[in-house]
Amino acid sequence: MPTHNKSALITGASRGIGRAAATAFAQAGYDLFLTCHRSLDMLEALALTLQETCAVRCQAIPADMGCEADVAQLFEKISCLDVLVNNAGMAHLGLLTDMTSQQWHRVLSVNLDSCFYTCRAAIPLMLSKHRGKIINVSSVWGAQGASMEVAYSASKGGMNAFTRALAKELAPSNIQVNAVACGVIDTSMNACLSAEELESLRQEIPADRLGTPEEAAQLILQLANAPSYLTGQIITMDGGWY
């Protein structure tokens, strides 16, 4: 059955910002490709709900976004793409001196290598249309750096540089590349923090609260619909924190 809807790939969509983004894009009429690594049952349930409530096509696809082979298999299912949202990511809290090489490489592969794999595969699909949007979900730590989160900070700093450089490369082809640098968002990624630590963070934020996944999703959707002259930007959403 043919469809004239725009299509979006959202990685890491089973929970948090990715799940909220999937809902926002479905409500806006996008057909969706959604990925997760481990929570396929949760993602399939979301896909079914979005199909039924928003009348869009929605595929739930298991994939380790830090694995080149998994991403290649994912794109075998995608023949047309308007928007790529690189949201899949992982955190690691601990001293750098206690971190193993395997842990370091895993954080970098999931958070940064994944952007290389997905963009390399998505760009030809966008070039064929002479348009496209690539949106990377970054963090304030990519610019500020965070103690006990060196690998995560390095990966997001790399994502910011990746965004700016790729935007310049693709601007002549009418493909825009931007990033959303989130502050503290109320997601399961912060589950490693105690209630006291979260309260301490809240007190540092001028908005006096944590951000919501829905707010991040709204900004991501706005970037997908932004003017084509907006590219190469790292847009911070942190309640005035930094």
Side-chain angles (χ1 to χ4, degrees):
M1 180 175 172
T3 178
H4 300 290
N5 292 345
K6 287 186 176 181
S7 59
L9 166 61
I10 302 173
T11 68
S14 63
R15 54 170 59 89
I17 293 173
R19 185 181 184 91
T23 301
F25 274 78
Q27 290 172 345
Y30 282 79
D31 290 331
L32 298 176
F33 301 95
L34 306 177
T35 77
C36 70
H37 188 196
R38 295 187 178 90
S39 306
L40 186 58
D41 289 347
M42 188 183 303
L43 189 65
E44 287 178 335
L46 173 64
L48 182 60
T49 298
L50 294 179
Q51 284 189 150
E52 292 175 345
T53 59
C54 301
V56 296
R57 291 183 173 186
C58 193
Q59 283 187 253
I61 305 165
D64 175 356
M65 300 311 297
C67 173
E68 184 175 8
D70 276 20
V71 177
Q73 289 179 355
L74 164 66
F75 273 87
E76 289 176 0
K77 300 176 174 67
I78 303 174
S79 59
C80 180
L81 192 66
D82 296 285
V83 179
L84 167 61
V85 180
N86 282 311
N87 169 73
M90 66 175 294
H92 179 91
L93 189 64
L95 293 170
L96 183 70
T97 49
D98 293 335
M99 194 174 196
T100 67
S101 296
Q102 183 179 12
Q103 290 171 329
W104 169 270
H105 288 297
R106 181 60 182 161
V107 172
L108 269 290
S109 69
V110 172
N111 293 357
L112 186 55
D113 291 357
S114 60
C115 293
F116 162 58
Y117 299 144
T118 56
C119 289
R120 182 177 61 178
I123 288 167
L125 301 177
M126 295 178 176
L127 286 174
S128 67
K129 295 180 164 188
H130 197 65
R131 71 172 189 271
K133 305 280 189 179
I134 297 172
I135 304 161
N136 299 320
V137 180
S138 187
S139 166
V140 292
W141 295 145
Q144 303 295 333
S147 173
M148 304 284 284
E149 295 190 66
V150 175
Y152 182 80
S153 300
S155 69
K156 294 303 184 179
M159 177 184 277
N160 291 349
F162 180 100
T163 298
R164 294 187 184 99
L166 187 61
K168 293 179 179 179
E169 187 171 314
L170 295 179
S173 300
N174 193 36
I175 298 171
Q176 293 77 49
V177 189
N178 294 291
V180 175
C182 296
V184 186
I185 306 297
D186 190 9
T187 70
S188 59
M189 186 175 282
N190 296 315
C192 60
L193 300 176
S194 68
E196 292 77 13
E197 289 169 327
L198 285 172
E199 174 60 18
S200 177
L201 280 174
R202 184 195 64 76
Q203 291 177 3
E204 295 176 9
I205 300 170
D208 197 36
R209 63 178 178 86
L210 277 59
T212 69
E214 290 73 24
E215 288 173 315
Q218 183 180 1
L219 180 54
I220 292 167
L221 181 60
Q222 287 174 337
L223 283 175
N225 296 317
S228 60
Y229 206 56
L230 179 66
T231 193
Q233 303 306 303
I234 315 299
I235 299 174
T236 300
M237 187 182 75
D238 64 0
W241 192 16
Y242 284 110

